[in-house]
């Protein structure tokens, strides 16, 4: 078991060798660049290969309208912010402080795998291999969920870039890709299922906001809910889906503020009760009492 732990890149470690950290630096940057370049390119370009009719990411989004169709502008902004947060996370690997570098390296394997799986998802999605792209998303969901529950106490800049924002996107993308994958997206049954399953975004978000005090997850899911709501509104004004989406966005945003403001101001709650200082202020917003 000790041998397996030593060679397992996903094993939880408190410290890393200089060689390991250098490896994480190189692979994290390379896979991040691969993920960013691929996403940016296929944001506006369609693939020219493959036996199935493909399209750019947003061509696929609007060509296959469903109850989880996203707004291209809002979700693209989300991607930009997420990639910047990921770059900030990567910069922690280059920190001269050994504690910071080791903390960043501890999530490095999951981060690298996330980048590779995101690259694979884009390549499959734009080529209309929706079943395989859905499988990739599910695999990445388990990868990022494992990362979240095993490493949730790291500083917010590591957590947001490497964990919460990619996880929030993957969770929403499973529904988006899945809705495209199933036939007859415009049928009454598909719309009813969409009206039901959209509420899982609220439950998922509130779980992390109140149980883990994770306002980064709350903000991420609020933005993605807004993207869904805007797209659904312009698709069909007389419908429940956009109303549900904006309701979910509003509740998540308010709940996020109720958690975030005390974290930023050093108080126990939104109503001004002050808490005692904790050892690491940056870790306070996440798992504050756990």
């Amino acid at each position: 078991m000790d041998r397996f732990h030593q060679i397992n890149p996903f094993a939880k470690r408190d410290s890393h060798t200089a060689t390991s950290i250098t490896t994480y630096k190189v692979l994290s940057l390379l896979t991040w660049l691969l993920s960013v370049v691929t996403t940016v390119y296929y944001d506006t370009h369609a693939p020219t290969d493959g036996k199935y009719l493909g399209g750019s990411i947003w061509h696929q989004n609007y060509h296959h309208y469903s109850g989880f169709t996203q707004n291209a502008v809002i979700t693209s902004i989300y991607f930009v912010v997420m990639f910047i947060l990921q770059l900030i996370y990567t910069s922690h690997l280059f920190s001269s402080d050994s504690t910071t570098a080791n903390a960043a390296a501890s999530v490095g394997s999951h981060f690298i795998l996330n980048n590779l799986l995101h690259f694979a998802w884009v390549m499959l999605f734009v080529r209309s291999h929706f079943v395989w792209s859905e499988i990739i998303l599910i695999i990445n969901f388990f990868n990022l969920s494992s990362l979240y529950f095993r490493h949730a106490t790291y500083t917010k800049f590591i957590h947001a870039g490497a964990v919460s924002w990619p996880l929030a996107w993957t969770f929403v993308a499973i529904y988006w890709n899945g809705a495209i994958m199933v036939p007859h997206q415009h049928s009454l049954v598909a719309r009813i299922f969409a009206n039901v399953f959209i509420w899982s975004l609220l439950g998922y978000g509130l779980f992390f906001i109140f149980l883990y005090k994770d306002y980064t997850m709350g903000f991420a899911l609020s933005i993605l809910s807004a993207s869904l709501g805007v797209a659904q509104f312009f698709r069909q004004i007389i419908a429940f889906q956009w109303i549900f989406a904006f309701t979910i966005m509003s509740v998540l945003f308010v709940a996020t503020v109720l958690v975030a403001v005390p974290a930023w101001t050093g108080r126990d709650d939104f109503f001004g009760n002050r808490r005692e200082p904790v050892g690491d202020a940056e870790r306070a917003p996440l798992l504050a009492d756990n």
Side-chain angles (χ1 to χ4, degrees), residues 180-193:
I180 294 174
M181 176 185 69
V182 299
H184 311 298
Q185 296 102 336
H186 304 290
S187 67
L188 176 61
V189 173
R191 291 200 300 270
I192 292 174
F193 271 97

Side-chain angles (χ1 to χ4, degrees), residues 10 78 82 86 89 107-118 136-152 158-174 204 208 214 217:
F10 300 102
Y78 181 93
M82 182 177 72
Q86 289 178 337
Y89 153 72
V107 305
S109 297
H110 291 277
F111 177 71
I112 292 166
L113 180 58
N114 166 71
N115 291 337
L116 293 174
L117 290 172
H118 180 76
I136 292 295
L137 287 171
I138 293 171
I139 293 172
N140 201 21
F141 177 75
F142 282 108
N143 166 54
L144 293 170
S145 296
S146 171
L147 171 59
Y148 191 104
F149 294 117
R150 295 172 64 213
H151 300 280
I158 292 177
H159 181 82
V163 189
S164 61
W165 276 58
L167 178 58
W169 158 249
T170 302
F171 180 76
V172 173
I174 287 174
Y204 192 68
F208 290 105
D214 189 352
M217 179 69 83

Side-chain angles (χ1 to χ4, degrees), residues 6-18:
Q6 291 176 359
I7 63 175
N8 180 13
F10 300 102
K12 189 172 183 178
R13 297 179 177 86
D14 294 324
S15 61
H16 302 265
T17 64

Side-chain angles (χ1 to χ4, degrees), residues 19 49 58 70 86 108-109 130 134 142 155 159 179 187 204 206 223 225 240 245 267 273 290:
T19 302
D49 60 308
W58 299 117
Q70 298 276 309
Q86 289 178 337
S109 297
F130 299 123
E134 183 75 2
F142 282 108
T155 62
H159 181 82
S187 67
Y204 192 68
L206 293 178
I223 295 169
S225 298
F240 289 114
R267 299 178 185 276
N273 298 316
N290 292 281

Side-chain angles (χ1 to χ4, degrees), residues 40-284:
V40 171
Y41 178 80
Y42 285 113
D43 196 63
T44 55
H45 293 77
T48 56
D49 60 308
K51 64 178 183 177
Y52 296 109
L53 180 63
S56 68
I57 294 173
W58 299 117
H59 169 83
Q60 299 285 55
N61 177 64
Y62 291 119
H63 183 69
H64 301 278
Y65 267 115
S66 72
F68 288 94
T69 293
Q70 298 276 309
N71 176 265
V73 175
I74 297 176
T75 304
S76 293
I77 293 172
Y78 181 93
F79 273 126
V80 170
V81 175
M82 182 177 72
F83 289 143
I84 292 172
L85 289 172
Q86 289 178 337
L87 186 60
I88 293 173
Y89 153 72
T90 305
S91 70
H92 283 67
L93 290 166
F94 295 85
S95 174
S96 58
D97 180 61
S98 60
T99 301
T100 300
N102 277 298
S106 294
V107 305
S109 297
H110 291 277
F111 177 71
I112 292 166
L113 180 58
N114 166 71
N115 291 337
L116 293 174
L117 290 172
H118 180 76
F119 163 76
W121 171 77
V122 172
M123 298 295 284
L124 291 167
F125 183 77
V126 297
R127 289 167 175 79
S128 300
H129 297 291
F130 299 123
V131 174
W132 286 109
S133 61
E134 183 75 2
I135 292 172
I136 292 295
L137 287 171
I138 293 171
I139 293 172
N140 201 21
F141 177 75
F142 282 108
N143 166 54
L144 293 170
S145 296
S146 171
L147 171 59
Y148 191 104
F149 294 117
R150 295 172 64 213
H151 300 280
T153 57
Y154 288 131
T155 62
K156 58 181 176 289
F157 288 115
I158 292 177
H159 181 82
V163 189
S164 61
W165 276 58
L167 178 58
W169 158 249
T170 302
F171 180 76
V172 173
I174 287 174
Y175 287 106
W176 176 39
N177 190 112
I180 294 174
M181 176 185 69
V182 299
H184 311 298
Q185 296 102 336
H186 304 290
S187 67
L188 176 61
V189 173
R191 291 200 300 270
I192 292 174
F193 271 97
N195 290 161
V196 172
F197 283 110
I198 191 175
W199 291 102
S200 65
L201 274 67
L202 179 62
Y204 192 68
L206 293 178
F207 170 80
F208 290 105
I209 292 169
F210 289 121
L211 187 62
Y212 288 89
K213 303 291 190 291
D214 189 352
Y215 59 82
T216 64
M217 179 69 83
F219 278 129
L221 287 170
S222 295
I223 295 169
L224 293 171
S225 298
S227 176
L228 198 158
V230 171
Q232 298 301 315
F233 177 80
F234 285 111
R235 177 197 177 199
Q236 188 174 357
I237 296 177
I238 303 176
F240 289 114
Q241 194 73 344
W242 68 268
I243 299 174
F244 293 162
F246 284 130
T247 301
I248 292 167
M249 177 205 71
S250 302
V251 174
L252 286 177
F253 183 78
V254 171
T256 298
V257 170
L258 290 174
V259 171
V261 170
W264 292 337
T265 58
R267 299 178 185 276
D268 268 331
D269 56 45
F270 188 78
F271 302 101
N273 298 316
R274 184 167 294 279
R275 67 173 176 227
E276 294 298 320
V278 294
D280 185 349
E282 276 211 322
R283 298 188 184 198

